[in-house]
Amino acid sequence: MVERIQKIVNNVGLPRIIIGLFLLFLLASAPFVGVRIDTSLNDIILRLAMNGILVLSLVPMVKSGCGLNFGLQLGVISGLLGAVISLELNTTGFGGFFLAIGLAIIFATVFGFLYGILLNRVKGEEMVVATYVGFSSVAFMCIWWLILPFKSQDMIWAYGGAGLRTTISVENYWYDALNNFLSFKIGSHITIPTGGLLFFALLCFLVWVFFRTKIGSAMIAVGSNPEFARSCGVNVNRMRLVSVILSTIIAAIGIIMYQQSFGFIQLYMAPLYMAFPAVAALLLGGASVNKVSLKNVIIGVFLFQGILTMTPSIINNLIKSDMSEAIRIIISNGLIVYALTRSSGVRQS
Amino acid sequence: MKTQDLTKTTHPVIRFLINNAVPILFIVLVAFAIPLSGFSGEYLFREMVTRVSRNSFLVLSLLIPVIAGMGMNFGIVLGAMAGEIGLIFITDWEIVGMPGLLLAMIISTPIAALLGYFAGKILNKAKGREMATGLMLGFFMNGVYQLVVLYSMGKIIPIGNNNILLPRGFGIRNAINLEGVRQVLDNLLSFDIFGIGIPIANFIAIGLLCLFIVWFRRTKLGQDMRTVGQSMEVARASGIDVEKTRLISIVISTILACYGQIIFLQNIGTMNTYNSHEQVGTFAIAALLIGGASVARATIPNVFVGVILFHMVFVVSPRAGKELIGQAQLGEHFRVFVSYGIIAISLALYAWRKQMEKQNLRRQAQAINREALKIQQGSTIGGKES
Amino acid sequence: MKKVLMVMFFLVLISSYALADASFHIGIVTGTVTQSEDDLRGAEQLIKEYGNVSEGGMINHLTYPDQFMTEMETTIAQIVGLADDPLMKAIIVNQAIPGTVEAFRRVREMRPDILLFAGGPHEDPVMLADVADLSINPDNVARGYLIILAAERLGADTFMHISFPRHMSYELLSRRRDIMKVAAEDLGMQFIDMGSPDPTSDIGVAGAQQFILEKVPAWLDTYGKKTAFFCTNDAHTEPLLKRVAELGGYFIEADLPSPTMGYPGALGVQFDEADQGNWPAILDKVEEAVIDKGGSGRMGTWAYSFGFTTTAALGEHAKRVIEGNAEVLDMDAIMDAYQKYTPGAGWNGSYYVDNDGVDRDNFVLIYQDTYVFGHGYMNMTDEVVPDKYFDKNIGRD
Amino acid sequence: MRRNIIRISLVVLVIIIAVFLYNIGKSHKIYFDNKNITIGDTTYTASNTCRVWVDDEESQDVRNRSRKVFKVAGAAHTIVVQEVVNGELSGERIEKKIKFKLDEGAIVNLPVLLDGAESWYEINTEI
């Protein structure tokens, strides 16, 4: 029995168990401080569907040895481009949503291709370079959001009459298009966004299948031992390039998924903050810079978003002051630091 | 590939161009941007002197952990926080002038050492992920800092000065006036060149720190650090306490960053209580990387080249962007784009050059091997014939 | 590429020499369109009137960084850089973000003749009052009482103040919260102090907005539909407006009120070219949208944007002062400049009183009448704020 | 053992330096009031503007019925006061010394000082 527990602990990793227990504790204490458990659960599930794909997008690059994609913003920008164009073309519902995704994939392929070429030149320092690529691409797009000749009255600045707003409502277009698909209610306060969850599951499945194909396993080989891969006749650079493009495309889909659930498209500086929570979630899920699995993605999103939504509301109701934000920062980042110091234990098992 | 041939070239000019691609790229860029921005030479010179004098100390504090193989220390944010706490206290007590500045340093040293110790302990547990962990540690400590400064100062830690305390009776205001210590170090020993004050005392402090780093590298501890940086296994085998050595490097770096932040803020003159430290790590690291350093190797010249180039772009590009595009708001975005884009490109160039060098080495090695093989084969064949 | 750059470079050079005809320059520093649209539009309005320096006009407009909280160095360099121009006679910073005080000190040292104006200061009022010639801020002291009063008049029985630690370290914001608390108790309302994520923290704007989107329904559940919401951060405003319009509750006015603050994004208001630069038309469009969404009589704003009018009015005032047509601290002259950009709007205000009880007559606090959609003006500028709310120790335990 | 002694004495030395720095760097506020004041039975009336110098700092003019403040560092200070009539210095230059303990400031009553009375300043411990 003890051994079995030991095995489970080793398998999941102690940090995750502790964080999971902490999350459970938060949920359990919710009713005592006047926070509804059902709405909290609802929020966590919704956030799983919203953020899952963005975190998933990190996987191909880690697998191919390109490290954590701190340049996620590039994918996000592709997604944003797809989204605003679909709005400009006045498409609604499923049609609009999938048009946005289709367009985004095209942009993501182009950006990802260029980005991949750059990253191939900087093996070993991908993460640092990616961070700055992310920053500068966001600023670059800031210029274009202002200049591009969008005309839709829903999107342009009120006083200036030109250029895109910082936040654009998608309510009249494809708000919750996917989440409402087959969605059902449990009780009065939980709505399961079936469509969103299914879509996330589908993408996870596709990624899973992909890494079982010939190209996928070649990519893993490149990631774990490039020299060996090369000697087996695998084109290392091409594999890395494909993984970067793939990551960028999934990120583009991820942000559109995020927006349809969020209700707003956020332009300008907003993408800057997209990479960090995704990376943090993945690390919290037990991944490391060079090793990752789909399990890490799902556990990571669940724990990270769970803590993100639960801590402020519980602490708020507990102490009724703005101090809750300071405590949230301490708890959630402290847990991530903790996970980082411990993840070597998982790797050994 | 054509590019690979370039690195093989022995032509000295081309070699020079390639070896210094990043500074050259910067100089070209700046050469275009300066006339566009319309700034006077005097303004730019003054701006560069102040920026080098106020930022170099912070950037220098990054060097020691690099020697120990811990990469860029994002944990200098912790040192910056310690320095700020020292400054809060001297402002509260109304200690002014040079004594105030020195007192701030004395107060914050133990805090910085403690935080550095804490950071070092954690980084020791996160070997191989030092940079990401350091970054997260910064975020984490930011929460702790808020808790201490905004909620316990005035309540638990006595603060009496109404000018820094919020009217509600606890918590420090978002901005603190450092009037009392404003530019005291800069003005301690300064003389004018063409009407521009050169803060000699500042440069002396920076010079002393450089000497310290040079000296430190030669000490037993410095040598140990280098060994640890190259290979922890080797270091351990030769009897070096790896954990302790790494810990010390982080503590030193944190304390230096704390002084660096104090020097930085005495020049700025006001303190943004809750945000001044946030980007310290990112900016210092960006400057160092532009200066030609890498995660594994950073030298003193890297620091100065980096600070000058990085800040030149920061100063010039917003105006240049504005003039180029004609709209003020686009100028700001242009600056961010150019500044970070150029960092990304220069990092890419450095990494690429390193990769090429490696490839060249490999190719040379292969060539030598082949030659050796040929000779060997030749001799054996010859042997048979004879 | 190089050729193009060269040509551009010479064009700029030529144009700057050929048309240099304004006898003095005014430097305006605002946020970018992404940070604070209205402030920037105010500068564009001034450029429209008085011309751009690069084309021989009077106005030199710059923007401070989007990440201004952490890029103080850049802010200082931008502002001080303006003083490099020998014709510069006034510098206006709206909003006066951290770094402005130091930048003003440096400008003073170099060029004591330059007029220094600040709008909506983020730094400590005393610090700014010490260096700037004139600072203008929304009257967060009077509004602390008036917003509660307006909420009560509209029928709210609970008031929720949403903020986070960083903002509560701003003196005037923190004081406004305390005043609101006391005022709510005085008027028999429940006051709730709610914490929320900081948009500049690790989770960013999206995370902060998500929090509001998720929690408003729960709050309305707990505290009832008669809850009025107030948030100190612009980023929180949009999701808050969206939820309030949908589900109920009140929203009196934003921290920096403007018809374009939050409403267009939150409610998907459509604008066309006819609305460009026309505040009354924009107000009508927003009103239509609010009533459409069922927010009539529950949601309000100021009819003219504070950010826009402050940039424009300070610019206008500076011009008049330089030309010798007005005194810097003449309240009537300042209000006259404001009236130019807000025809027909009611304004009121007072001076900031510092810690030592000294009136700072170069730190002006102003407010405009609250306009509630589907209800009209609340006439808040006619109300007299009881003296007790001006006590700086209000709400202190 | 010897190492520890050296370490402890170093720490003590640093603390001493800190205390020393605190003393020489501590700033004090000296308020100058040019207002009518009654001490005991005597009433001193403020009439003219006074120009005030403290140590080497720039002078300030204290107008009738107003208050100005100087911020100075360290314990001992020299105050110089002279009246200003019609924009020109006139009358006697009065030079006074003042010494502070920590956490002290002073309010100087200029009319009293000009009158030559003893109690020309009061120590102000509230900062």
Side-chain angles (χ1 to χ4, degrees):
Chain A
M1 185 62 191
V2 176
E3 261 176 40
R4 267 188 65 187
I5 293 174
Q6 191 80 37
K7 210 177 154 197
I8 294 172
V9 169
N10 274 341
N11 203 12
V12 186
L14 191 61
R16 269 155 298 292
I17 290 184
I18 291 176
I19 295 166
L21 286 176
F22 177 70
L23 191 59
L24 266 181
F25 165 74
L26 283 180
L27 276 172
S29 60
F32 299 102
V33 296
V35 175
R36 294 185 68 107
I37 292 193
D38 47 5
T39 50
S40 306
L41 275 175
N42 182 47
D43 293 344
I44 298 178
I45 294 169
L46 188 65
R47 280 172 179 242
L48 184 68
M50 268 172 86
N51 294 287
I53 299 175
L54 279 173
V55 180
L56 180 71
S57 81
L58 299 170
V59 172
M61 275 176 63
V62 176
K63 288 256 189 200
S64 74
C66 291
L68 296 164
N69 184 14
F70 280 97
L72 184 79
Q73 291 94 337
L74 223 53
V76 170
I77 285 169
S78 322
L80 293 177
L81 273 171
V84 286
I85 295 177
S86 90
L87 256 62
E88 177 76 15
L89 298 175
N90 216 355
T91 50
T92 55
F94 269 114
F97 181 69
F98 285 106
L99 174 70
I101 286 185
L103 289 166
I105 289 176
I106 298 172
F107 287 115
T109 313
V110 177
F111 290 154
F113 181 74
L114 298 173
Y115 179 44
I117 290 177
L118 179 73
L119 286 191
N120 271 340
R121 293 243 185 267
V122 296
K123 286 190 194 110
E125 310 216 355
E126 293 96 344
M127 286 195 269
V128 189
V129 174
T131 311
Y132 290 108
V133 169
F135 282 0
S136 71
S137 60
V138 168
F140 182 66
M141 282 316 291
C142 280
I143 301 178
W144 288 104
W145 300 132
L146 284 167
I147 295 181
L148 288 174
F150 284 98
K151 288 276 175 282
S152 166
Q153 295 182 4
D154 275 326
M155 301 198 290
I156 56 171
W157 284 108
Y159 188 86
L164 295 168
R165 295 176 203 164
T166 40
T167 350
I168 296 165
S169 170
V170 296
E171 207 170 349
N172 303 330
Y173 298 89
W174 31 262
Y175 177 49
D176 269 350
L178 204 55
N179 282 358
N180 287 342
F181 177 69
L182 287 181
S183 74
F184 56 91
K185 281 197 153 201
I186 302 177
S188 59
H189 282 90
I190 303 185
T191 313
I192 302 291
T194 320
L197 289 175
L198 281 178
F199 193 60
F200 174 45
L202 174 74
L203 279 184
C204 282
F205 177 71
L206 287 179
V207 170
W208 184 82
V209 168
F210 175 79
F211 281 105
R212 264 146 199 81
T213 61
K214 209 176 147 212
I215 303 179
S217 36
M219 204 177 274
I220 295 175
V222 168
S224 50
N225 191 342
E227 294 298 322
F228 176 74
R230 189 176 286 122
S231 65
C232 291
V234 178
N235 185 334
V236 174
N237 279 350
R238 184 180 297 161
M239 279 306 129
R240 287 167 53 103
L241 188 61
V242 172
S243 82
V244 174
I245 296 177
L246 209 59
S247 270
T248 313
I249 290 178
I250 300 176
I253 299 174
I255 190 69
I256 295 177
M257 181 65 202
Y258 183 90
Q259 289 156 353
Q260 67 89 25
S261 176
F262 189 48
F264 297 112
I265 298 174
Q266 296 168 302
L267 302 176
Y268 300 96
M269 302 308 275
L272 200 59
Y273 302 105
M274 285 294 172
F276 184 77
V279 170
L282 197 66
L283 291 175
L284 207 59
S288 71
V289 173
N290 36 34
K291 195 166 179 303
V292 69
S293 69
L294 291 178
K295 188 182 74 190
N296 300 140
V297 174
I298 296 164
I299 295 178
V301 181
F302 188 73
L303 292 181
F304 183 78
Q305 295 296 339
I307 286 180
L308 206 59
T309 163
M310 291 305 292
T311 11
S313 44
I314 299 280
I315 300 169
N316 254 326
N317 285 24
L318 215 56
I319 56 176
K320 303 260 183 215
S321 129
D322 53 275
M323 204 205 281
S324 58
E325 166 66 358
I327 295 175
R328 177 194 70 77
I329 292 178
I330 295 175
I331 291 176
S332 64
N333 291 316
L335 288 173
I336 295 168
V337 170
Y338 176 72
L340 279 166
T341 59
R342 287 307 167 102
S343 53
S344 51
V346 184
R347 223 186 295 167
Q348 278 159 12
S349 75
Chain B
M1 275 164 81
K2 200 179 154 211
T3 42
Q4 285 177 4
D5 293 334
L6 272 178
T7 41
K8 267 202 288 189
T9 182
T10 45
H11 196 289
V13 176
I14 296 172
R15 246 210 134 87
F16 175 83
L17 284 179
I18 289 166
N19 283 336
N20 297 293
V22 174
I24 290 171
L25 188 73
F26 263 87
I27 290 164
V28 170
L29 185 95
V30 168
F32 269 102
I34 287 178
L36 266 179
S37 73
F39 283 123
S40 64
E42 187 201 326
Y43 172 81
L44 285 175
F45 184 67
R46 181 187 308 137
E47 202 53 39
M48 278 305 101
V49 169
T50 21
R51 282 175 182 243
V52 169
S53 73
R54 77 174 165 218
N55 285 293
S56 302
F57 208 98
L58 266 173
V59 182
L60 281 166
S61 74
L62 289 167
L63 293 186
I64 287 178
V66 175
I67 302 174
M70 301 179 77
M72 295 298 163
N73 182 17
F74 279 95
I76 63 169
V77 175
L78 273 63
M81 288 177 192
E84 289 171 11
I85 289 178
L87 286 171
I88 290 176
F89 278 118
I90 61 143
T91 316
D92 176 38
W93 301 336
E94 304 193 302
I95 314 293
V96 298
M98 229 17 229
L101 206 64
L102 291 174
L103 190 60
M105 286 180 179
I106 292 177
I107 296 166
S108 49
T109 307
I111 303 174
L114 207 69
L115 289 175
Y117 181 80
F118 169 69
K121 278 276 179 206
I122 286 189
L123 294 186
N124 266 342
K125 285 191 177 156
K127 290 197 189 84
R129 296 179 297 275
E130 286 94 348
M131 293 193 2
T133 313
L135 196 65
M136 292 307 308
L137 202 60
F139 284 122
F140 167 70
M141 284 309 293
N142 200 22
V144 178
Y145 178 88
Q146 277 189 359
L147 206 63
V148 170
V149 177
L150 193 50
Y151 295 103
S152 62
M153 282 199 173
K155 265 187 182 165
I156 301 165
I157 305 165
I159 297 285
N161 190 336
N162 276 334
N163 287 327
I164 64 170
L165 201 63
L166 282 169
R168 67 179 180 195
F170 63 92
I172 303 296
R173 288 164 190 258
N174 67 313
I176 293 182
N177 196 347
L178 298 178
E179 192 96 64
V181 292
R182 177 173 178 257
Q183 299 182 356
V184 287
L185 186 64
D186 300 354
N187 296 335
L188 185 66
L189 269 178
S190 76
F191 75 91
D192 287 8
I193 299 181
F194 312 120
I196 295 158
I198 311 283
I200 300 295
N202 236 330
F203 284 115
I204 292 176
I206 292 164
L208 285 177
L209 179 57
C210 291
L211 286 179
F212 168 77
I213 289 170
V214 171
W215 167 80
F216 182 80
R217 281 194 189 132
R218 296 195 185 151
T219 57
K220 165 85 175 51
L221 190 60
Q223 294 295 341
D224 285 359
M225 253 174 218
R226 189 169 300 176
T227 321
V228 172
Q230 269 148 6
S231 161
M232 281 188 241
E233 274 67 48
V234 173
R236 213 165 267 140
S238 54
I240 297 171
D241 186 342
V242 174
E243 265 69 30
K244 195 179 161 198
T245 316
R246 285 164 53 101
L247 192 67
I248 292 175
S249 82
I250 292 294
V251 171
I252 295 178
S253 168
T254 313
I255 295 178
L256 289 177
C258 151
Y259 298 156
Q261 180 76 352
I262 292 178
I263 292 177
F264 179 86
L265 286 175
Q266 63 89 28
N267 177 277
I268 294 281
T270 59
M271 182 171 124
N272 213 340
T273 318
Y274 302 98
N275 296 80
S276 279
H277 49 262
E278 247 173 30
Q279 293 276 337
V280 163
T282 330
F283 284 166
I285 288 166
L288 188 59
L289 290 172
I290 286 181
S294 73
V295 177
R297 206 181 103 85
T299 62
I300 292 173
N302 293 152
V303 171
F304 294 105
V305 173
V307 171
I308 292 176
L309 292 179
F310 182 70
H311 284 285
M312 192 57 111
V313 170
F314 255 60
V315 172
V316 172
S317 58
R319 276 286 191 99
K322 184 200 159 187
E323 299 300 335
L324 202 63
I325 310 176
Q327 268 191 55
Q329 48 168 336
L330 296 179
E332 165 56 24
H333 296 312
F334 182 79
R335 173 188 71 91
V336 181
F337 161 58
V338 168
S339 311
Y340 290 122
I342 207 95
I343 296 171
I345 289 175
S346 53
L347 288 175
L349 278 173
Y350 278 123
W352 175 59
R353 201 182 76 208
K354 211 167 62 192
Q355 209 176 329
M356 286 298 127
E357 275 163 9
K358 224 188 275 171
Q359 262 177 31
N360 278 346
L361 276 179
R362 193 162 51 213
R363 207 169 291 131
Q364 276 168 10
Q366 277 169 355
I368 293 167
N369 266 343
R370 230 173 294 144
E371 288 298 314
L373 222 66
K374 241 183 234 164
I375 295 166
Q376 215 174 18
Q377 279 170 351
S379 64
T380 45
I381 292 164
K384 262 180 194 169
E385 272 178 0
S386 65
Chain C
M1 188 62 195
K2 264 187 189 172
K3 257 187 192 165
V4 177
L5 279 176
M6 284 299 273
V7 170
M8 279 185 158
F9 163 50
F10 281 116
L11 275 179
V12 171
L13 264 189
I14 291 165
S15 61
S16 62
Y17 282 114
L19 294 160
D21 50 18
S23 60
F24 60 89
H25 294 161
I26 296 175
I28 315 259
V29 183
T30 68
T32 63
V33 75
T34 59
Q35 267 297 325
S36 42
E37 186 200 359
D38 295 347
D39 305 350
L40 177 123
R41 301 293 179 210
E44 286 181 355
Q45 172 69 27
L46 285 172
I47 291 178
K48 213 189 286 166
E49 284 177 46
Y50 301 120
N52 203 334
V53 162
S54 60
E55 284 141 19
M58 193 183 284
I59 308 293
N60 194 355
H61 176 212
L62 294 179
T63 52
Y64 54 74
D66 277 355
Q67 311 270 53
F68 58 83
M69 286 312 287
T70 49
E71 289 195 34
M72 216 151 106
E73 274 190 288
T74 312
T75 310
I76 295 174
Q78 287 276 58
I79 299 172
V80 177
L82 284 171
D84 197 33
D85 173 359
L87 285 176
M88 192 56 64
K89 283 285 173 254
I91 295 178
I92 291 145
V93 185
N94 185 33
Q95 304 159 23
I97 49 156
T100 309
V101 168
E102 180 58 20
F104 277 8
R105 282 186 199 143
R106 286 177 194 209
V107 173
R108 274 268 185 275
E109 279 166 17
M110 284 163 61
R111 295 278 307 279
D113 59 316
I114 293 183
L115 280 176
L116 299 170
F117 291 176
H122 288 216
E123 281 168 301
D124 221 46
V126 178
M127 284 162 67
L128 212 71
D130 282 344
V131 291
D133 290 302
L134 176 65
S135 308
I136 293 195
N137 203 43
D139 190 346
N140 287 333
V141 179
R143 286 173 70 207
Y145 168 74
L146 293 173
I147 291 176
I148 301 281
L149 185 67
E152 198 245 3
R153 291 217 177 134
L154 290 172
D157 61 9
T158 308
F159 193 90
M160 185 185 283
H161 180 275
I162 304 166
S163 192
F164 44 85
R166 190 171 56 81
H167 264 183
M168 286 302 99
S169 70
Y170 286 45
E171 184 201 325
L172 284 171
L173 299 191
S174 166
R175 197 152 125 194
R176 180 178 60 196
R177 196 251 323 254
D178 297 340
I179 295 170
M180 282 178 163
K181 190 169 179 204
V182 175
E185 280 156 11
D186 291 350
L187 295 172
M189 293 166 77
Q190 190 190 356
F191 182 85
I192 297 146
D193 191 3
M194 185 56 73
S196 66
D198 183 346
T200 64
S201 75
D202 53 344
I203 52 166
V205 177
Q209 295 189 332
Q210 176 72 14
F211 178 82
I212 299 288
L213 271 185
E214 277 172 4
K215 292 299 172 203
V216 176
W219 291 333
L220 282 170
D221 242 25
T222 323
Y223 302 110
K225 303 247 184 220
K226 293 199 160 183
T227 307
F229 295 94
F230 181 81
C231 60
T232 58
N233 188 276
D234 299 351
H236 289 146
T237 310
E238 256 162 22
L240 186 58
L241 288 171
K242 180 178 155 83
R243 284 291 188 248
V244 167
E246 270 169 15
L247 304 170
Y250 294 88
F251 182 89
I252 308 305
E253 61 189 39
D255 181 51
L256 293 174
S258 160
T260 59
M261 167 59 69
Y263 286 104
L267 307 179
V269 186
Q270 302 195 335
F271 293 102
D272 51 42
E273 264 146 42
D275 304 327
Q276 194 176 333
N278 186 350
W279 286 113
I282 291 173
L283 189 69
D284 284 349
K285 277 270 167 74
V286 174
E287 179 150 27
E288 205 177 290
V290 170
I291 293 171
D292 219 39
K293 301 264 174 184
S296 176
R298 297 190 285 120
M299 305 171 83
T301 182
W302 287 0
Y304 290 93
S305 156
F306 173 78
F308 173 86
T309 42
T310 301
T311 311
L314 282 178
E316 176 69 24
H317 185 58
K319 177 179 168 282
R320 291 179 187 170
V321 171
I322 295 165
E323 287 172 347
N325 299 329
E327 284 294 314
V328 177
L329 295 181
D330 180 358
M331 193 64 182
D332 293 336
I334 298 170
M335 284 341 286
D336 192 53
Y338 267 88
Q339 285 298 343
K340 177 176 171 188
Y341 296 99
T342 57
W347 288 91
N348 203 341
S350 58
Y351 291 113
Y352 171 74
V353 181
D354 73 9
N355 279 324
D356 303 328
V358 176
D359 265 18
R360 294 305 191 105
D361 52 4
N362 65 349
F363 200 103
V364 183
L365 302 172
I366 58 168
Y367 59 96
Q368 214 186 89
D369 198 3
T370 304
Y371 182 87
V372 174
F373 297 114
H375 181 285
Y377 283 106
M378 297 290 291
N379 296 325
M380 300 318 285
T381 38
D382 301 335
E383 293 294 331
V384 177
V385 182
D387 276 348
K388 71 176 277 199
Y389 299 108
F390 287 102
D391 176 10
K392 74 182 158 78
N393 290 326
I394 196 166
R396 198 162 167 179
D397 357 279
Chain D
M1 190 58 201
R2 223 184 108 203
R3 256 185 108 107
N4 278 337
I5 291 174
I6 294 175
R7 279 182 186 172
I8 290 169
S9 47
L10 268 175
V11 170
V12 171
L13 184 73
V14 169
I15 292 174
I16 291 172
I17 293 177
V19 172
F20 173 70
L21 289 170
Y22 188 97
N23 274 307
I24 62 166
K26 175 78 188 174
S27 79
H28 306 272
K29 271 185 193 165
I30 310 179
Y31 293 101
F32 287 88
D33 278 3
N34 199 2
K35 299 171 184 166
N36 295 349
I37 186 169
T38 313
I39 298 172
D41 303 329
T42 344
T43 301
Y44 302 92
T45 40
S47 47
N48 290 320
T49 300
C50 293
R51 187 161 296 170
V52 179
W53 293 263
V54 176
D55 301 335
D56 295 331
E57 284 192 55
E58 256 178 63
S59 65
Q60 292 193 55
D61 285 356
V62 191
R63 274 182 316 221
N64 196 355
R65 284 197 300 281
S66 73
R67 162 183 275 197
K68 282 282 162 74
V69 63
F70 276 87
K71 270 187 162 183
V72 290
H77 304 283
T78 321
I79 294 167
V80 178
V81 178
Q82 198 168 6
E83 279 186 277
V84 181
V85 181
N86 299 330
E88 280 183 31
L89 288 168
S90 72
E92 197 190 349
R93 243 176 105 91
I94 303 173
E95 202 172 312
K96 293 275 182 187
K97 298 237 183 253
I98 193 167
K99 243 186 146 173
F100 295 117
K101 294 196 195 96
L102 289 177
D103 291 347
E104 280 182 351
I107 301 170
V108 175
N109 294 309
L110 290 168
V112 187
L113 182 70
L114 291 172
D115 196 67
E118 265 308 300
S119 53
W120 55 274
Y121 74 92
E122 47 197 289
I123 289 292
N124 176 17
T125 46
E126 182 196 2
I127 299 174

